Every structure is written in structure tokens, then in C-alpha cells.
């Protein structure tokens, strides 16, 4: 792994692609799947219990979580339970790609809105369209936002420029 | 004079954990805190917590505090709020300022769970209004619903600096950036990732060298530092901010422990001076236990379990419970060990082991 995370505070896309939690090309082809971008050994484990399909294994507490890609259905339930906001669900199986991330700011984006997709460093990557906003009571105020982006940019995009008040 | 079998000072996760376990074994427990709300650091933490499920991971901090307080009250713990312990007498009585009245509480065993206080650093202009600790800003924002400023510079990238930055952004502030004197982000990468994604700069190997303004902060001057942490001339940069927040570490609040004659040691990794203790959380004073951030600055989950250990040990000393308590203590110690693993925990484990090895009374 490069030193980007500890020196700059974010993970380089290459580090994500080289990580053991990065799903295989075959798995990407079958539909939405979670990517767990939790690269340090920290005392944390709620993601394990968050997945009803047993797709996240984590033994002990400071061991890193591992994704069992064939069990994951890409539902996104784990995203809201992760206090590190380190889990994303991506879909690279269709013509248009999509990225789902946790969103805890107000005001909320709305379905259909045009937004600017950004990478892990917060830099603009492309224009995008909000396709889904999930706000369920179970998620305790962490909303899941899905945006549509070109498939080849799915690995880069991890968030969007925040919605300004009064927009 | 009021009497308690076990008096617990500080109602953060450590104090609450101690109260719950001691009361479960049947001891008569009094728990006091200087604030008007119990929970310690927890009641201003609006973010979802780390740790394992047993440690309420994924639950927001203040909700953990409410759950623990309810459990303690249900078990018959007497909770005194707006009650600050101000003195420890030789005979084991504690002087307490309770709602402006001085009262005395006599206890057989005392658990000190007073937590830690935030450090500050000084630089030209640091006394200007607008310079304050990150914790103070967090209290204003999350407890009183007031933002301390609109444009903020955060000093320090430990978990406190990272988390408070994120929370202030959620509350609508504009965090202009974070400076960190060492060449790396010192808190968890996942916390840093959240604020990077939102486009906030993190300047490592940088520090704040001056706060400027007429009646309050109007701008901050930051500069890059060399290997000796000295500012490098020519690298100064002016950032327009109205608030400079300091998140530069915490120091255990050991005053009461000192008054009670508990021997102290120094562990910089754990925040500096702290009372010696063994794996039952007993200090070098046989009747005094210490737990949580006062016994070394760590996290809420470790504080809670250290508190549980202290509560069990104190109650067991007074004759409550049976041999099964030992088993429970072993489990808690094993759990604490597990929490102190991984890249971030190992150093703390090393310190704790050293403190316990050197403990004696
Ligand atoms: C911004 C921030 C974010 C954090 N995030 C996390 C996290 O995500 N996960 C995690 O595990 N930990 C987190 N922590 C750390 C965690 O909050 C602390 O480690 C934990 O609260 C320590 O518990 P404690 O009971 O020892 O002390 P505290 O929670 O500080 O409680 C001590 C209490 O004692 C009271 N007190 C002190 N002196 C006296 C006296 N003389 N008389 C009466 N009362 C007194 C204090 O007012 C306070 O209420 C965070 C801390 C901060 C500041
Ligand atoms: S997306 Fe759903 S199925 Fe996949 S790991 Fe998360 S919770 Fe489990
Ligand atoms: S819940 Fe999130 S931060 Fe915690 S271990 Fe799982 S992926 Fe990492």
C-alpha cells in the first residue's frame, strides 16, 4: 500500500484496486457489490453484524473486515452501520455505472438532481445524476445516496459536492 | 454527612460502567458528576461509535450515555449531578460542591473516573476571542446548538480534530483546513477520509504560528515545519478564518488522585501524568480505584470496560459477589487486551503493561 492514507488522509484508487477486498471482474459483471475501504487495523466491527447475508467476515476486533463477494447482494445495509463511512456499493454491470455512499449533511440531495461527483480527495471528477436517496429509520440519520456516473469512473468517484442550502 | 459504600467521581463511560457493575453485585453506590447531565464526553458525541457490538459500536455517543445512565438508575445507583468533588480528606471523606453547597461524603471505596482535559498551545494572538479548544466548540455546537464560527482552522489531526471538523461541517460551518505538525495524519484513516472527500485540505508538517485580528480572530498564519518542528521561513500562508480550534491532545485529570496520595507515573502516549494502577484498576492507595481517561487517555470502549473492572473489584473487596466475579474480571481484561491491538492500540497496550508491572502498594 502507498503512504497516501497516512500522509494525505485518503486512499489512492490504486490502493483500493490492489486490496484483497476489491471485487473480481467476474463479480462486477453480475451487479451491485460492496467495496470495503477499511485499510487500517482499528478496533471496530459493526459491519460484520450489519450484513444479513454473512458477506462480511471479521475475526477478532482489530483484524480488517473481508468481503465474501459471492454472498454480497449489494443491498447497502452495511453502509449506514459503518462508523468510519468506509463502505460503498458500486455497480459496473450496466451501461451506466453507479456509486452509493453515506451522506450525513443537510440539505439532502433529491432524486433527479444534477451534481458534481468527486473523488476520495474531494476533487471534481464528472457531472452526475442522483438516482436514489434512501432515508430509513433503521439507518439512524445516515442517508444513502446513489449517483449515476460513467462506468469507467466508478472506481474514482466516492462522493459528491455537497448541496448548498437554498439550492 | 452522607454515606456511601462506593463513591464514584465522574459519570462518563468509566464512572457509569463502575456504578453499574458495583450496584449489580449489591453495593450501595453514589455517583457524582460536576455537569448537569451524566455521560461525560459521551453526551456531546453525535457520531456513531467505534468498537465492537458489546461496546455499542455503530450507536451514536449520546445515545450510549443515555442507555448507561438508565441502567445505572434502574439498579438503584444514587446519581448526584451539578456536584464537583473538590477535596479528598485523609480519613476517606470527600468534599463535594453540590449546587453551591459544600457537602461531605464518606465512602469505603472511591472510584476516580474524572476523565481528561484538553491541552492548549500558545502562539502570538492565541488569547484573541475565536481561539478555543475543539472540545469547547463541540459542546457549543452539539449540546447548545450554537456554532462558534463560520470559517474554521483546526489544529491537530488526531481523532478529536478529525471528528469535530466533520461535525462542525455537518452543522454548517466551513472548515478551511487542518494543520498537523507531524508528517502524517494521526487519527484513523476512515475519519480523515470523510473530511477529505468533502474537499477539506489537510496540511501535514504544518503548524499555526499566529492568530491575527482586531477584536477577534480574522486570519490565521500557518507555516510548514522542519524535522525539529520549527517553522520554515518563507512557507507562511494566511488563511481567512474567524475561529482557530485546538485539538492537540488530552491530559488525565489527576488532581484528586494526587490529593489522595496515589503515586503517579508518566506515559506520554497515554497523555502524561497518570496514577499507577493494577489490572483491577486499583491505585497505590488501597481504597482508591482509577479508570477511563484518568488512567490513560484512550477511548470510550476502554473507559467503559476499565470502569466495569473497577466497580467489580471495589464491590468484591467489600464482600459482595462470589468467585464468579474473578472470571468476569478476567473476561474484561481479555477484552481490553483485544481493544488494544492493531496499529493504533499496540503502543497503548505496551504502556498499560508497564504501568501494571511497576504498580505496588
Ligand atoms: C471529540 C471526541 C470524539 C470521541 N470519539 C470517540 C469514539 O468514536 N469512540 C470512542 O470509543 N471514544 C471516543 N472518544 C473518547 C471518549 O469520549 C473518552 O475516551 C471517554 O469519554 C473517556 O471516558 P471517561 O469516563 O474516562 O471520561 P469522561 O467521559 O471525560 O467523563 C469524566 C466525567 O467526570 C467529570 N468530572 C471530572 N472531575 C470531576 C470532579 N472533580 N467532580 C465531579 N465530576 C468530575 C467530568 O466533568 C466528566 O463528566 C472521543 C472523545 C472526543 C473528545
Ligand atoms: S451490501 Fe448488503 S449484502 Fe453486501 S456486504 Fe453490505 S449488507 Fe452485506
Ligand atoms: S464498521 Fe466500517 S470502520 Fe468499522 S471495521 Fe467495519 S468497515 Fe471498518
Amino acid at each position: 500500500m502507498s503512504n497516501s492514507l497516512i500522509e494525505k488522509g485518503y486512499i489512492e484508487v490504486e490502493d483500493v484496486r490492489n486490496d484483497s477486498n476489491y471485487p473480481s471482474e467476474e463479480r462486477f459483471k453480475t451487479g451491485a457489490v460492496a467495496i470495503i475501504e477499511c485499510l487500517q487495523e482499528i478496533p471496530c466491527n459493526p459491519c460484520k453484524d450489519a450484513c444479513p447475508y454473512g458477506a462480511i467476515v471479521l475475526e477478532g476486533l482489530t483484524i480488517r473486515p473481508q468481503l465474501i463477494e459471492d454472498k454480497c447482494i449489494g443491498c447497502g445495509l452495511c453502509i449506514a452501520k459503518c462508523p468510519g463511512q468506509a463502505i460503498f456499493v458500486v455497480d459496473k454491470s450496466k451501461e451506466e455505472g453507479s456509486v452509493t455512499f453515506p451522506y450525513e449533511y443537510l440539505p439532502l440531495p433529491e432524486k433527479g438532481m444534477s451534481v458534481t461527483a468527486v473523488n476520495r480527495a474531494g476533487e471534481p471528477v464528472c457531472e452526475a445524476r442522483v438516482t436514489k436517496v434512501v432515508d430509513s429509520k433503521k439507518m439512524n440519520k445516515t442517508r444513502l445516496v446513489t449517483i449515476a456516473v460513467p462506468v469507467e469512473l466508478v472506481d474514482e468517484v466516492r462522493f459528491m459536492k455537497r448541496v448548498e442550502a437554498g439550492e | 454527612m452522607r454515606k456511601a459504600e462506593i463513591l464514584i467521581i465522574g459519570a462518563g463511560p468509566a464512572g457509569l460502567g463502575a456504578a453499574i457493575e458495583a450496584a449489580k453485585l449489591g453495593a450501595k453506590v453514589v455517583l457524582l458528576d460536576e455537569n448537569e447531565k451524566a455521560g461525560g464526553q459521551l453526551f456531546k458525541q453525535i457520531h456513531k461509535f467505534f468498537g465492537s457490538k458489546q461496546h455499542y459500536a455503530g450507536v451514536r455517543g449520546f445515545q450510549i450515555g443515555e442507555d448507561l445512565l438508565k441502567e445505572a438508575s434502574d439498579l438503584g445507583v444514587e446519581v448526584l449531578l451539578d456536584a464537583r468533588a473538590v477535596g479528598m480528606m485523609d480519613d476517606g471523606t470527600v468534599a463535594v460542591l453540590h449546587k453551591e453547597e459544600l457537602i461531605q461524603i464518606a465512602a469505603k471505596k472511591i472510584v476516580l473516573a474524572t476523565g481528561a482535559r484538553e491541552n492548549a498551545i500558545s502562539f502570538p494572538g492565541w488569547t484573541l476571542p475565536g481561539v478555543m479548544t475543539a472540545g469547547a466548540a463541540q459542546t457549543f455546537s452539539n449540546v447548545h446548538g450554537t456554532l462558534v464560527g463560520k470559517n474554521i482552522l483546526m489544529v491537530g489531526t488526531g481523532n478529536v480534530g478529525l471528528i469535530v471538523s466533520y461535525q462542525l461541517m455537518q452543522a454548517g460551518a466551513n472548515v478551511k483546513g487542518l494543520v498537523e505538525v507531524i508528517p502524517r495524519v494521526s487519527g484513523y484513516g476512515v475519519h480523515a477520509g470523510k473530511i477529505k472527500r468533502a474537499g477539506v485540505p489537510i496540511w501535514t508538517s504544518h503548524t499555526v504560528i499566529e492568530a491575527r485580528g482586531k477584536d477577534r480572530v480574522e486570519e490565521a498564519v500557518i507555516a510548514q515545519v522542519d524535522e525539529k518542528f520549527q517553522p520554515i521561513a518563507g512557507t507562511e500562508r494566511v488563511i481567512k478564518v474567524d475561529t482557530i480550534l485546538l485539538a492537540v491532545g488530552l491530559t488525565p485529570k489527576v488532581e484528586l488522585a494526587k490529593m489522595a496520595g496515589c503515586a503517579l507515573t508518566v506515559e506520554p502516549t497515554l497523555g502524561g501524568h497518570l496514577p499507577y494502577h493494577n489490572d483491577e484498576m486499583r491505585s497505590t492507595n488501597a481504597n482508591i480505584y482509577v479508570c477511563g481517561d484518568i488512567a490513560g487517555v484512550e477511548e470510550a470502549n476502554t473507559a467503559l470496560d476499565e470502569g466495569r473492572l473497577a466497580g467489580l473489584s471495589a464491590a468484591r473487596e467489600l464482600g459482595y459477589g462470589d468467585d464468579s466475579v474473578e472470571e468476569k474480571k478476567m473476561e474484561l481484561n481479555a477484552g481490553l487486551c483485544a481493544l488494544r491491538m492493531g496499529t493504533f492500540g499496540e503502543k497503548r497496550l505496551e504502556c498499560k503493561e508497564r504501568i501494571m508491572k511497576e504498580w505496588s502498594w
Side-chain angles (χ1 to χ4, degrees):
Chain A
M1 199 175 109
S2 76
N3 285 332
S4 175
L5 183 56
I6 48 171
E7 281 168 11
K8 295 189 264 177
Y10 62 89
I11 309 168
E12 293 289 357
V13 69
E14 275 318 307
D15 290 330
V16 174
R17 288 195 178 124
N18 292 333
D19 187 65
S20 57
N21 267 326
Y22 187 68
S24 64
E25 279 313 312
E26 295 78 65
R27 177 62 189 81
F28 277 130
K29 282 189 195 126
T30 64
V33 63
I35 301 190
I36 305 178
E37 301 189 3
C38 179
L39 269 44
Q40 293 172 327
E41 294 176 334
I42 50 178
C44 186
N45 72 6
C47 50
K48 178 181 78 178
D49 293 316
C51 178
Y53 306 96
I56 301 180
V57 282
L58 196 160
E59 277 158 46
L61 188 53
T62 47
I63 308 299
R64 293 182 39 208
Q66 286 297 324
L67 178 79
I68 314 224
E69 59 176 32
D70 293 328
K71 288 193 180 173
C72 173
I73 64 156
C75 67
L77 278 174
C78 51
I79 296 180
K81 273 283 175 190
C82 165
Q85 299 189 8
I87 311 182
F88 305 86
V89 167
V90 305
D91 194 342
K92 295 206 250 182
S93 67
K94 303 184 185 66
E95 219 168 289
E96 194 174 38
S98 78
V99 180
T100 304
F101 47 80
Y103 195 91
E104 289 192 327
Y105 299 100
L106 289 174
L108 283 177
E110 279 163 30
K111 193 177 162 179
M113 210 178 226
S114 293
V115 296
T116 305
V118 302
N119 63 13
R120 294 172 186 81
E123 299 152 351
V125 176
C126 62
E127 289 309 303
R129 194 177 73 257
V130 177
T131 54
K132 205 166 160 190
V133 179
V134 179
D135 181 7
S136 112
K137 204 162 174 215
K138 234 176 108 189
M139 296 182 173
N140 195 355
K141 301 225 160 92
T142 304
R143 281 80 174 200
L144 305 192
V145 173
T146 305
I147 58 177
V149 297
V151 174
E152 64 278 12
L153 294 177
V154 161
D155 280 355
E156 295 274 344
V157 170
R158 280 300 171 268
F159 202 58
M160 53 176 258
K161 274 234 151 63
R162 286 185 283 151
V163 185
E164 307 264 342
E167 209 173 279
Chain B
M1 172 156 9
R2 267 177 199 256
K3 284 207 166 80
E5 285 183 317
I6 301 178
L7 174 65
I8 300 170
I9 302 174
L16 284 163
I20 289 169
E21 294 306 325
K24 263 193 208 158
L25 292 185
K28 184 179 176 303
V29 179
V30 175
L31 170 65
L32 54 88
D33 197 287
E34 60 194 357
N35 295 294
E36 275 161 30
K37 248 183 170 165
Q41 292 289 337
L42 289 176
F43 77 79
K44 57 184 188 191
Q45 310 302 349
I46 55 171
H47 61 289
K48 292 182 181 173
F49 264 50
F50 271 83
S52 67
K53 206 171 168 199
Q54 299 92 288
H55 294 109
Y56 303 85
V59 180
R60 295 185 189 276
F62 71 95
Q63 291 162 336
I64 304 174
E66 284 167 9
D67 287 358
L68 292 172
L69 182 64
K70 180 166 184 308
E71 193 179 350
S73 319
D74 289 349
L75 286 162
V77 171
E78 188 184 340
V79 184
L80 289 185
L81 296 175
D82 197 354
R84 180 203 296 261
V86 289
M88 312 279 288
M89 316 296 160
D90 287 340
D91 62 356
T93 38
V94 178
V96 177
L97 197 57
H98 180 37
K99 300 192 168 136
E100 291 173 17
E101 187 194 343
L102 198 62
I103 59 172
Q104 289 194 328
I105 305 180
K108 292 182 186 147
K109 301 283 171 196
I110 297 171
V111 177
L112 297 177
T114 47
R117 81 167 44 81
E118 293 182 275
N119 298 338
I121 49 168
S122 57
F123 43 87
W126 75 296
T127 52
L128 275 176
V131 181
M132 67 177 86
T133 64
Q138 196 190 27
T139 307
F140 273 112
S141 164
N142 299 353
V143 181
H144 305 297
T146 327
L147 264 184
V148 291
K150 197 70 201 141
N151 293 303
I152 292 166
L153 175 74
M154 181 66 73
V155 183
T157 61
N159 282 329
V160 172
L162 296 173
I163 291 172
V164 174
S165 293
Y166 180 64
Q167 292 180 346
L168 292 173
M169 281 156 60
Q170 287 180 299
N174 183 4
V175 177
K176 289 285 190 86
L178 290 82
V179 286
E180 170 58 64
V181 75
I182 60 172
R184 19 169 224 284
V185 175
S186 59
Y188 295 155
V190 288
H191 289 320
K194 285 183 229 177
I195 58 179
K196 281 307 297 176
R197 240 178 268 160
V200 177
I202 296 180
W203 294 293
T204 51
S205 293
H206 273 75
T207 191
V208 56
I209 55 170
E210 191 182 349
R212 292 180 187 156
K214 207 159 147 267
D215 303 313
R216 66 162 293 135
V217 175
E218 287 163 26
E219 50 190 42
V221 186
I222 66 168
Q224 202 181 329
V225 297
D226 59 22
E227 304 87 70
K228 292 187 184 116
F229 306 122
Q230 295 309 308
I232 304 172
T235 62
E236 299 84 359
R237 187 168 357 174
V238 176
I239 320 265
K240 287 260 173 233
V241 292
D242 52 31
T243 307
I244 299 173
L245 298 181
L246 308 177
V248 291
L250 295 130
T251 305
K253 280 191 195 168
V254 295
E255 292 79 4
L256 295 175
K258 245 176 162 168
M259 266 187 234
C262 305
L264 304 184
T265 177
V266 185
E267 290 289 355
T269 305
L270 295 176
H273 286 270
L274 54 94
Y276 276 109
H277 53 275
N278 65 1
D279 63 359
E280 301 191 290
M281 305 318 295
R282 199 192 281 223
S283 72
T284 57
N285 176 329
N287 292 323
I288 295 187
Y289 295 77
V290 291
C291 51
D293 279 356
I294 183 187
V297 177
E298 294 188 88
E299 305 199 319
N301 41 28
T302 43
L304 181 59
D305 279 2
E306 284 196 349
R308 290 189 195 277
L309 261 178
L312 288 173
S313 310
R316 187 74 191 109
E317 256 322 281
L318 293 173
Y320 290 101
D322 52 32
D323 290 345
S324 67
V325 172
E326 284 314 308
E327 231 168 87
K328 216 164 164 197
K329 276 160 57 181
M330 262 160 62
E331 264 170 45
L332 283 166
N333 268 312
L336 279 165
C337 228
L339 285 170
R340 293 175 185 135
M341 301 280 222
T343 341
F344 291 86
E346 278 160 5
K347 262 183 107 178
R348 290 188 272 126
L349 182 63
E350 228 180 87
C351 296
K352 280 285 183 178
E353 281 176 346
R354 183 162 50 233
I355 294 165
M356 291 177 189
K357 215 169 106 202
E358 289 171 8
W359 171 92
S360 65
W361 52 282

